Each structure stands twice: as structure tokens, then as C-alpha cells.
Amino acid sequence: MVTAARSRSVPAEQPLSPAAPARRALAVRHLGPNWYACVMGTAVVGTAGAALPWHVPGWRAVCTAVWALSFLLLGTLLVARSLHWRHHRDQARAHLLDPAAAPFYGCLSMALLAVGGGSVSLGRDWIGAFAAVALCAVLFAAGTAVALTAAVGVPYLMAVRHRIGPGQAGPVWLLPLVAPMVSAAVGPLLVPHLPPGQPRETLLLACVTLFGMSLLAALVTLPVIFGRLLTGGPLPLALTPTLFLVLGPLGQSTTAVGQFAEAAPGAGPTPYGTAFGVFAVLYGVPVMGFALWWLCLAAAHVVRARREGMGFSMTWWSFTFPVGTCVTGSQSLARHTGLAAYDALTVVLYAVLVAAWAVAAVHTARGVVSGALLAGPRPAPGGPRPVAVRTT
């Protein structure tokens, strides 16, 4: 009787149900590398905003808070993507073998680098200069390693494993190629923190090497993309925002040469500073002109697609980071030319960036809360419906 009473009063220990971990693992099954675009777009809003040609009380604190948000997003996505690879390796491999998804692995590199660059320009206000430089160095090293891997590995997969038709060329092909350019633009921020002499000059010229690697790779790819656009007609509605990705190598390269000019005087022989200063203007001005032309062309395609029913998708984040690189490129030209016109252009482009980020962020938050953005692809209309069949 006593034993029975005890057994009734003290419930037996129940094994933990695997349902909750299973649900968490299932939630990241369709979380692709394209989600790192949220980090890139958020980080550039903060870093570009901090260098605007105005001094508003509290504005820098707002930009630092935006950078901190990008840092939190990066940490969250790194954990989520680790779970994705651990529990859904089949889906991860499918992303690598999908020519539409594999180029987005370049976004991982650019997310690491964007947050790393912001740590020096903004994060130091909150975490201190030493921690900010250390964080930037770690993220720069990791981001550059991923950038080089993606810049070689993704084109290799596209040539060897993927089956790509003549009409499938698209701006997403630029993503792994522009990643080294982001490294080239972030690296000069670390140059003043190295010992004078060989270390500084080595890092600076390594960034110039990354610049050349990315620029030439982008230059041989852009004609293919533009030719497909002219001969193959407009992109599918959902992919139309990716036309803004072309701005990435243009704005980022303009930013990079400006960073070279600012880091060069303390990194090498005296002619370096003068040569890079001249190159920053002679290269940046015409490239920014082409970027503005492409911005107008891409915007016209987006207006057309919107009128034809283009709805929100994660490709809308293409409106953020590429435009942000044009903001930082325009800021660089304003510093090196002293022209007020580039200051005005910077403000206009930054307003476009903030508006695009706000729209993409709100729609993404709604999609995450509702589960729509994390759900699997829907079956094709008219396809056979699943049915339950008794097998015994």
C-alpha cells in the first residue's frame, strides 16, 4: 500500500519529447545562404549613415545601434545555418548544386566583412577600440577566406556540376565574384593598426590584389548578364530586383580605391599616397557614372515588374547592400574631390537605401513571424495533390 501510494504521488520521470527539437530543426530546412543579405543590408545602413555630410546630435548612436543589430543578425544566422548543415545536409548540398542558389554563398563572406568593417567605424564607440579592431581582424580573415573559396568554388561548380542554359545568366552570378572586392574595401581599415613598414604595405597591396581579382572577374561576367537582358527579355518578376546586384562591384570598387588612397600615405613609399589619390578620382568618377545609369535602368525594370504583380521575396534585399556601396562610393568621391555635388548625391542615395531597407525589413519580419518565408517551395499549380492510400 505504501509503495503504491508513493508511485501515485511521485510521477515517474518521462523522457523528453523530441518534438520540439525536431520542429526547430525543420524550421531551418529551407534557410538558404541568401538570408545573409539581411545582415549585409542592415550593416551598410549603419556604416554609410555614419559618414554622411551632416552632424545631427544622436545620429551616430542610431547608426551604431543599426550596426549592433546587424551583428546580432549575423550571430543568429550563423547558428541557424549551422543547424541547417547539421540536420539538413541533403538540402544544403542541393543548394550547392543549384545554379540559382550556389552564388549566394558569396553573401556569407560579405556579411562577415560588412559587420567587421562596421566594428571599426562604429562598434568602437560601444566596445572600445581594441575590441573593435580585434573583431574586425577576425571577421576580415574569415570573410576573406570564404570570399576566395566562393570566388573559385562557385564558378567551378557552375562549369563542372551545374547544367546552365544559355538564357539562365543573371546578376546573382556576381555575388561570389564581388565578395573579394568587399575584402579589398574593408582591409585598409586595419592598415593603420599594423606595425609600420612591411606589414602595412603587405596588407595594402594584398587588398589591391583582391580588388583586381574581383574587378576583372566582374568585367568578364557583366557583358554576359547585359547580353542576356537585351536578347532574352526581362528577368522573371521575382528575380527583377537582382538587377540591383550589378551596382555591387561598381559602388564597392569605387569605395575600395578611396580606401586605398586614405591608407596609402602611412603604408608605403610617398608616391603611393599621390598615385592612389589620383586613381581614386580617375577611376571612381566614370564608374559612378555607369552605376547611376544602371540604377535608372534597373529601377525602370522594377517599376515594370511591380505593375505586373511582382510580390515580396527575399530578392528585395538586393535593393539594400548594392545601393549602400554606391552611397559609400559617393562619400569617397566627395572626400577626394571636395565637390558638394557628391555630398548631395550621397544624401539622395542614402535616402533610397533607408527606404529600401525599411520595406525589406518589415516584409521579412512579417514573413518570419507567419512562417511563410521559412516554408518550403509550393507545389506547381495544377500539379498532382498528395493523397493518403492504405497499404494494408
Side-chain angles (χ1 to χ4, degrees):
M1 292 291 293
V2 175
T3 305
R6 286 181 178 174
S7 65
R8 288 193 297 269
S9 61
V10 181
E13 184 177 352
Q14 298 293 329
L16 294 176
S17 171
R23 284 195 296 270
R24 288 195 294 268
L26 186 61
V28 299
R29 176 168 178 78
H30 300 285
L31 187 75
N34 59 318
W35 279 77
Y36 286 111
C38 303
V39 179
M40 299 156 51
T42 303
V44 78
V45 170
T47 53
L52 288 175
W54 62 39
H55 300 282
V56 178
W59 177 248
R60 183 174 176 84
V62 172
C63 293
T64 306
V66 174
W67 169 82
L69 174 61
S70 71
F71 180 77
L72 293 176
L73 288 174
L74 176 62
T76 302
L77 279 174
L78 287 174
V79 172
R81 286 285 298 163
S82 298
L83 292 174
H84 174 85
W85 270 95
R86 178 180 178 182
H87 295 286
H88 306 289
R89 194 160 297 179
D90 61 324
Q91 187 70 14
R93 286 180 56 83
H95 286 157
L96 280 173
L97 297 178
D98 183 358
F104 285 97
Y105 273 90
C107 292
L108 168 58
S109 166
M110 291 185 280
L112 294 168
L113 293 164
V115 174
S119 68
V120 172
S121 58
L122 289 170
R124 63 184 181 185
D125 295 351
W126 289 7
I127 64 177
F130 179 81
V133 172
L135 178 61
C136 182
V138 171
L139 294 180
F140 172 74
T144 302
V146 176
L148 294 174
T149 302
V152 175
V154 173
Y156 175 82
L157 286 175
M158 294 173 67
V160 175
R161 299 295 301 274
H162 298 167
R163 296 295 177 264
I164 302 174
Q168 290 182 281
V172 295
W173 288 10
L174 292 170
L175 288 172
L177 304 180
V178 76
M181 187 67 77
V182 182
S183 291
V186 172
L189 298 176
L190 294 171
V191 169
H193 302 282
L194 293 176
Q198 289 278 335
R200 291 187 181 182
E201 186 175 358
T202 299
L203 179 57
L204 177 63
L205 294 185
C207 292
V208 177
T209 302
L210 292 169
F211 166 85
M213 176 195 307
S214 178
L215 178 65
L216 295 178
L219 287 178
V220 298
T221 306
L222 279 173
V224 180
I225 297 170
F226 189 48
R228 183 263 175 252
L229 189 64
L230 293 182
T231 61
L235 295 178
L237 296 183
L239 295 180
T240 302
T242 63
L243 288 172
F244 276 69
L245 295 177
V246 175
L247 298 175
L250 304 175
Q252 198 65 59
S253 62
T254 303
T255 303
V257 295
Q259 296 284 26
F260 299 159
E262 293 170 18
T270 302
Y272 275 15
T274 303
F276 277 117
V278 173
F279 183 59
V281 176
L282 294 182
Y283 174 88
V285 171
V287 170
M288 184 58 63
F290 181 76
L292 293 175
W293 172 78
W294 188 272
L295 176 63
C296 295
L297 178 65
H301 277 265
V302 168
V303 170
R304 169 196 166 276
R306 188 63 175 163
R307 288 177 177 175
E308 294 192 3
M310 180 187 71
F312 174 76
S313 66
M314 289 299 291
T315 58
W316 281 33
W317 283 97
S318 303
F319 299 140
T320 57
F321 188 76
V323 174
T325 65
C326 292
V327 175
T328 56
S330 180
Q331 289 169 344
S332 174
L333 289 174
R335 291 193 300 270
H336 290 98
T337 63
L339 293 178
Y342 282 114
D343 283 331
L345 177 62
T346 297
V347 173
V348 171
L349 289 175
Y350 188 74
V352 174
L353 169 63
V354 171
W357 177 83
V359 172
V362 169
H363 280 82
T364 301
R366 288 177 180 173
V368 171
V369 171
S370 67
L373 287 179
L374 295 174
R378 297 178 180 178
R385 296 182 179 179
V387 295
V389 180
R390 294 181 63 89
T391 59
T392 57

